[in-house]
Amino acid sequence: LDSDVFIAAKNTYYAFEICPGFWDSIVYAHRHGRVRSIDRIKAELLAGQPKEDLVVWVKERVPAGFFHGTQARAVHDAYEEIALWVQRSVQYLDRAKAKFSTEADGWLVAYSMVHGTTVVTNEQPRPDSRSRVLLPDVCAQFKVPCRDTFTMLRSLAVKLDLRPKDAT
């Protein structure tokens, strides 16, 4: 999962106080081997304020094995291939290339290349973008499956259903 999945959810439609079931479903799916992220995404999420809901959730509720390491040689090799492709591209502006090199996106694609996983992000493809290197476009270039949050929730058969206690 990309950091924007978590950040957009907590800021909008799945805010912690509105939809705790979303957050529970992420943990549940992880415990059943269906959802994970990487250490570099964790670092981005923990960059928020210490008392922010998302930071607290990552520290207190997310299981220890949720964020996988990116230290393996194969992941580094895949990342190097991705970074080289971005840097050599004449399509992207220098500031887009520089920003991409400081983010976790390339590492997420590299991890997925090596481990055969699907990237989940809210970013939309824009193959003609010059000002930003977008995750779905990088995934497409390296033939890594990429889905959005709602597609993921459907594939996990998540049901966020509020039933009043007195309903029969």
Side-chain angles (χ1 to χ4, degrees):
L1 301 181
D2 187 20
S3 58
D4 77 331
V5 170
F6 302 104
I7 295 167
K10 72 113 177 153
N11 286 338
T12 57
Y13 41 86
Y14 295 136
F16 284 91
E17 71 276 6
I18 295 171
C19 195
F22 170 80
W23 304 97
D24 293 343
S25 73
I26 297 294
V27 172
Y28 178 86
H30 167 71
R31 288 195 172 122
H32 288 85
R34 308 265 326 265
V35 171
R36 69 186 87 146
S37 194
I38 61 170
D39 51 5
R40 292 167 190 269
I41 297 295
K42 181 180 183 181
E44 288 183 355
L45 299 177
L46 291 177
Q49 296 297 317
K51 293 190 186 292
E52 183 179 297
D53 288 341
L54 184 55
V55 173
V56 171
W57 182 76
V58 169
K59 287 181 176 178
E60 296 179 6
R61 301 283 318 274
V62 175
F66 186 88
F67 295 100
H68 290 221
T70 54
Q71 296 81 17
R73 180 82 247 148
V75 175
H76 276 261
D77 290 346
Y79 177 78
E80 189 175 298
E81 183 181 350
I82 293 163
L84 219 56
W85 174 77
V86 169
Q87 291 307 313
R88 289 180 176 165
S89 172
V90 294
Q91 173 181 336
Y92 299 111
L93 300 173
D94 286 343
R95 70 176 180 268
K97 294 175 184 182
K99 187 174 186 322
F100 182 82
S101 71
T102 65
E103 297 175 335
D105 288 1
W107 291 99
L108 194 58
V109 177
Y111 180 91
S112 288
M113 284 172 64
V114 170
H115 295 282
T117 60
T118 298
V119 170
V120 178
T121 184
N122 290 322
E123 291 181 13
Q124 296 299 308
R126 284 192 7 228
D128 296 329
S129 175
R130 294 185 39 76
S131 61
R132 190 158 172 227
V133 182
L134 292 159
L135 193 48
D137 300 328
V138 178
C139 286
Q141 174 65 31
F142 291 93
K143 297 180 180 25
V144 171
C146 185
R147 305 288 180 263
D148 65 25
T149 303
F150 300 108
T151 303
M152 174 195 70
L153 292 173
R154 284 184 188 96
S155 74
L156 295 173
V158 171
K159 304 279 186 231
L160 303 173
D161 188 10
L162 175 64
R163 296 175 193 246
K165 291 181 182 181
D166 60 347
T168 54

